[in-house]
Amino acid sequence: LSARWSGHRIQPRHLGGFERLTGWREQDALPLLYPQVLGFPLQMVILTHPALPLPIWGALQVRAHLVQHRPIARGAAVDLACRTAGDRFLEKGAELDLHSTAHVSGELCWESLSTFYYRGRRGAVEAASPLAAAPQAQGAEAARWRAPAGGGFTFGRLSGDYNPIHLADWYARRLGFPKAFLHAPVMVGQAAAHLPGLQGARAGRLDVWMKGPVYYGADVALHVAGVNGAVELALLAGTETRPALVARWSTQPGGPLAG
């Protein structure tokens, strides 16, 4: 399955909403995370398509790998695309990979590989993705702040992600959580906003592993460590000792994420 959105001109109001919500400071080029948010409706087209044999209400994003090959100007006309790129059966569920791209004037400027997990045994167990292993990210505390007390509908309007688990406590409780929690890209953006080197980079790669929820209004702490030329991040929420989010940032984009 694939979906395309050609010739989209970035809207200052939409981009400004993303920057206000995440705290990402304005730059000459688009923030690394922004094309992921802008193109999320294409992922939803695929995740909700009748031909996909997995129900949208069972999808839980567990990983995102974002690569910026070159900057995208804020006023550029962008061609966005998304397609299914892989799947695998695991012991307790299944994974689906979606590959997204952003081209400007026919040139690949940005891409991402997003992995969604579906609970429930569905077939013979296969090998895990080589991207599944997250770093330890045991750095020193670099920043501390309080997560927004709301904003789920605001992010929904920006991205098209209206999953009720981010909007309604009663729905979150039905799925085993005490209350609703923030969209992961909001917390990734807020963490990245504390790293000036990431914001100003013209090229690089950000790998993110979602480990748990960050509830609205929670106190969060960002731990940072330099490892083998990369920066590893861990975001802890409330009194939890297990990170809610782990990430690795490198100024080396590497090769394409998908064939």
Side-chain angles (χ1 to χ4, degrees), residues 6-166:
S6 300
H8 174 69
R9 185 74 65 175
I10 304 301
Q11 300 298 313
R13 182 176 180 180
H14 187 275
L15 178 57
F18 166 84
E19 291 173 330
R20 287 190 296 272
L21 194 60
T22 62
W24 201 302
R25 293 187 295 274
E26 182 174 337
Q27 303 285 336
D28 293 336
L30 296 181
L32 169 67
L33 193 62
Y34 182 70
Q36 181 81 347
V37 174
L38 181 67
F40 190 78
L42 297 183
Q43 295 189 28
M44 287 298 295
V45 166
I46 293 175
L47 293 174
T48 59
H49 197 283
L52 191 74
L54 294 167
I56 179 61
W57 54 83
L60 178 66
Q61 188 171 9
V62 292
R63 296 190 298 278
H65 310 275
L66 292 76
V67 172
Q68 181 169 293
H69 297 286
R70 51 192 50 81
I72 300 176
R74 297 173 71 87
V78 183
D79 296 326
L80 299 165
C82 182
R83 64 178 176 87
T84 52
D87 57 74
R88 63 202 61 86
F89 293 126
L90 304 177
E91 183 177 355
K92 296 182 179 180
E95 286 185 347
L96 173 68
D97 300 327
L98 298 183
H99 182 227
S100 301
T101 58
H103 287 74
V104 176
S105 300
E107 185 176 17
L108 177 64
C109 297
W110 176 98
E111 61 178 318
S112 76
L113 192 69
S114 302
T115 300
F116 294 85
Y117 178 77
Y118 299 80
R119 295 174 181 171
R121 184 73 177 269
R122 287 177 167 82
V125 176
E126 302 172 72
S129 166
L131 297 173
Q136 294 297 318
Q138 297 177 339
E141 183 176 313
R144 180 177 288 269
W145 68 95
R146 176 159 291 183
F153 281 101
T154 300
F155 186 80
R157 288 191 292 270
L158 292 173
S159 65
D161 184 357
Y162 287 101
N163 187 338
I165 203 168
H166 303 297

Side-chain angles (χ1 to χ4, degrees), residues 22-27 31-33 137 139-145 187-203 205-208 221-226 230-235 245-251:
T22 62
W24 201 302
R25 293 187 295 274
E26 182 174 337
Q27 303 285 336
L32 169 67
L33 193 62
E141 183 176 313
R144 180 177 288 269
W145 68 95
M187 295 313 303
V188 174
Q190 291 195 350
H194 290 82
L195 300 174
L198 194 161
Q199 293 191 61
R202 299 182 63 81
R205 172 169 175 154
L206 180 65
D207 299 278
V208 182
L222 177 66
H223 292 246
V224 178
V231 177
E232 294 184 353
L233 317 174
L235 194 67
L245 183 150
V246 174
R248 180 193 294 116
W249 159 251
S250 172
T251 55

